[in-house]
PDB file of all heavy atoms in Angstrom:
ATOM      1  N   ASP A 629     -13.407  -1.730  -6.153  1.00 95.00           N
ATOM      2  CA  ASP A 629     -14.518  -1.102  -6.886  1.00 95.00           C
ATOM      3  C   ASP A 629     -15.739  -0.817  -6.011  1.00 95.00           C
ATOM      4  O   ASP A 629     -16.874  -0.814  -6.494  1.00 95.00           O
ATOM      5  CB  ASP A 629     -14.939  -1.969  -8.081  1.00 95.00           C
ATOM      6  CG  ASP A 629     -13.797  -2.178  -9.058  1.00 95.00           C
ATOM      7  OD1 ASP A 629     -13.080  -1.211  -9.346  1.00 95.00           O
ATOM      8  OD2 ASP A 629     -13.612  -3.322  -9.524  1.00 95.00           O
ATOM      9  N   SER A 630     -15.482  -0.538  -4.721  1.00 96.00           N
ATOM     10  CA  SER A 630     -16.609  -0.286  -3.816  1.00 96.00           C
ATOM     11  C   SER A 630     -16.945   1.196  -3.707  1.00 96.00           C
ATOM     12  O   SER A 630     -17.829   1.577  -2.949  1.00 96.00           O
ATOM     13  CB  SER A 630     -16.326  -0.863  -2.425  1.00 96.00           C
ATOM     14  OG  SER A 630     -15.102  -0.395  -1.897  1.00 96.00           O
ATOM     15  N   GLY A 631     -16.237   2.042  -4.451  1.00 95.00           N
ATOM     16  CA  GLY A 631     -16.604   3.458  -4.497  1.00 95.00           C
ATOM     17  C   GLY A 631     -15.928   4.317  -3.462  1.00 95.00           C
ATOM     18  O   GLY A 631     -16.509   5.318  -3.023  1.00 95.00           O
ATOM     19  N   GLY A 632     -14.690   3.968  -3.082  1.00 96.00           N
ATOM     20  CA  GLY A 632     -14.009   4.734  -2.046  1.00 96.00           C
ATOM     21  C   GLY A 632     -14.675   4.489  -0.703  1.00 96.00           C
ATOM     22  O   GLY A 632     -15.569   3.648  -0.559  1.00 96.00           O
ATOM     23  N   PHE A 633     -14.248   5.238   0.316  1.00 96.00           N
ATOM     24  CA  PHE A 633     -14.803   5.001   1.649  1.00 96.00           C
ATOM     25  C   PHE A 633     -16.310   5.244   1.747  1.00 96.00           C
ATOM     26  O   PHE A 633     -17.019   4.475   2.413  1.00 96.00           O
ATOM     27  CB  PHE A 633     -14.054   5.818   2.704  1.00 96.00           C
ATOM     28  CG  PHE A 633     -12.737   5.206   3.078  1.00 96.00           C
ATOM     29  CD1 PHE A 633     -11.553   5.871   2.850  1.00 96.00           C
ATOM     30  CD2 PHE A 633     -12.683   3.940   3.646  1.00 96.00           C
ATOM     31  CE1 PHE A 633     -10.337   5.287   3.181  1.00 96.00           C
ATOM     32  CE2 PHE A 633     -11.482   3.345   3.979  1.00 96.00           C
ATOM     33  CZ  PHE A 633     -10.302   4.021   3.749  1.00 96.00           C
ATOM     34  N   PRO A 634     -16.865   6.261   1.092  1.00 96.00           N
ATOM     35  CA  PRO A 634     -18.326   6.424   1.174  1.00 96.00           C
ATOM     36  C   PRO A 634     -19.079   5.199   0.660  1.00 96.00           C
ATOM     37  O   PRO A 634     -20.029   4.721   1.293  1.00 96.00           O
ATOM     38  CB  PRO A 634     -18.601   7.664   0.328  1.00 96.00           C
ATOM     39  CG  PRO A 634     -17.319   8.440   0.378  1.00 96.00           C
ATOM     40  CD  PRO A 634     -16.239   7.401   0.384  1.00 96.00           C
ATOM     41  N   GLY A 635     -18.643   4.678  -0.480  1.00 96.00           N
ATOM     42  CA  GLY A 635     -19.305   3.506  -1.045  1.00 96.00           C
ATOM     43  C   GLY A 635     -19.094   2.260  -0.209  1.00 96.00           C
ATOM     44  O   GLY A 635     -20.030   1.469   0.000  1.00 96.00           O
ATOM     45  N   TYR A 636     -17.866   2.085   0.277  1.00 96.00           N
ATOM     46  CA  TYR A 636     -17.561   0.905   1.091  1.00 96.00           C
ATOM     47  C   TYR A 636     -18.367   0.913   2.390  1.00 96.00           C
ATOM     48  O   TYR A 636     -18.910  -0.120   2.810  1.00 96.00           O
ATOM     49  CB  TYR A 636     -16.063   0.872   1.390  1.00 96.00           C
ATOM     50  CG  TYR A 636     -15.621  -0.334   2.205  1.00 96.00           C
ATOM     51  CD1 TYR A 636     -15.817  -1.629   1.727  1.00 96.00           C
ATOM     52  CD2 TYR A 636     -15.008  -0.169   3.440  1.00 96.00           C
ATOM     53  CE1 TYR A 636     -15.403  -2.733   2.467  1.00 96.00           C
ATOM     54  CE2 TYR A 636     -14.581  -1.266   4.185  1.00 96.00           C
ATOM     55  CZ  TYR A 636     -14.787  -2.542   3.693  1.00 96.00           C
ATOM     56  OH  TYR A 636     -14.391  -3.628   4.433  1.00 96.00           O
ATOM     57  N   GLU A 637     -18.472   2.070   3.025  1.00 95.00           N
ATOM     58  CA  GLU A 637     -19.242   2.169   4.267  1.00 95.00           C
ATOM     59  C   GLU A 637     -20.727   1.895   4.020  1.00 95.00           C
ATOM     60  O   GLU A 637     -21.399   1.255   4.840  1.00 95.00           O
ATOM     61  CB  GLU A 637     -19.044   3.554   4.887  1.00 95.00           C
ATOM     62  CG  GLU A 637     -17.635   3.770   5.435  1.00 95.00           C
ATOM     63  CD  GLU A 637     -17.334   5.219   5.757  1.00 95.00           C
ATOM     64  OE1 GLU A 637     -18.257   6.062   5.615  1.00 95.00           O
ATOM     65  OE2 GLU A 637     -16.198   5.516   6.147  1.00 95.00           O
ATOM     66  N   GLU A 638     -21.230   2.355   2.889  1.00 96.00           N
ATOM     67  CA  GLU A 638     -22.631   2.090   2.549  1.00 96.00           C
ATOM     68  C   GLU A 638     -22.865   0.593   2.386  1.00 96.00           C
ATOM     69  O   GLU A 638     -23.883   0.051   2.855  1.00 96.00           O
ATOM     70  CB  GLU A 638     -22.993   2.825   1.259  1.00 96.00           C
ATOM     71  CG  GLU A 638     -24.426   2.603   0.800  1.00 96.00           C
ATOM     72  CD  GLU A 638     -24.732   3.322  -0.494  1.00 96.00           C
ATOM     73  OE1 GLU A 638     -24.165   4.406  -0.728  1.00 96.00           O
ATOM     74  OE2 GLU A 638     -25.534   2.788  -1.277  1.00 96.00           O
ATOM     75  N   ILE A 639     -21.922  -0.085   1.730  1.00 96.00           N
ATOM     76  CA  ILE A 639     -22.036  -1.530   1.534  1.00 96.00           C
ATOM     77  C   ILE A 639     -21.985  -2.257   2.875  1.00 96.00           C
ATOM     78  O   ILE A 639     -22.779  -3.166   3.145  1.00 96.00           O
ATOM     79  CB  ILE A 639     -20.920  -2.034   0.596  1.00 96.00           C
ATOM     80  CG1 ILE A 639     -21.147  -1.501  -0.821  1.00 96.00           C
ATOM     81  CG2 ILE A 639     -20.868  -3.568   0.588  1.00 96.00           C
ATOM     82  CD1 ILE A 639     -19.974  -1.722  -1.748  1.00 96.00           C
ATOM     83  N   MET A 640     -21.051  -1.869   3.744  1.00 95.00           N
ATOM     84  CA  MET A 640     -20.928  -2.514   5.050  1.00 95.00           C
ATOM     85  C   MET A 640     -22.191  -2.297   5.889  1.00 95.00           C
ATOM     86  O   MET A 640     -22.636  -3.205   6.596  1.00 95.00           O
ATOM     87  CB  MET A 640     -19.704  -1.978   5.790  1.00 95.00           C
ATOM     88  CG  MET A 640     -18.360  -2.353   5.178  1.00 95.00           C
ATOM     89  SD  MET A 640     -18.067  -4.134   5.089  1.00 95.00           S
ATOM     90  CE  MET A 640     -18.488  -4.458   3.362  1.00 95.00           C
ATOM     91  N   ASP A 641     -22.775  -1.117   5.814  1.00 95.00           N
ATOM     92  CA  ASP A 641     -24.013  -0.835   6.548  1.00 95.00           C
ATOM     93  C   ASP A 641     -25.143  -1.738   6.056  1.00 95.00           C
ATOM     94  O   ASP A 641     -25.932  -2.276   6.853  1.00 95.00           O
ATOM     95  CB  ASP A 641     -24.415   0.631   6.391  1.00 95.00           C
ATOM     96  CG  ASP A 641     -23.500   1.586   7.161  1.00 95.00           C
ATOM     97  OD1 ASP A 641     -22.761   1.107   8.047  1.00 95.00           O
ATOM     98  OD2 ASP A 641     -23.521   2.795   6.852  1.00 95.00           O
TER      99      ASP A 641
END
Side-chain angles (χ1 to χ4, degrees):
D629 300 317
S630 54
F633 282 118
Y636 181 60
E637 290 167 4
E638 179 181 327
I639 292 169
M640 292 300 99
D641 288 344

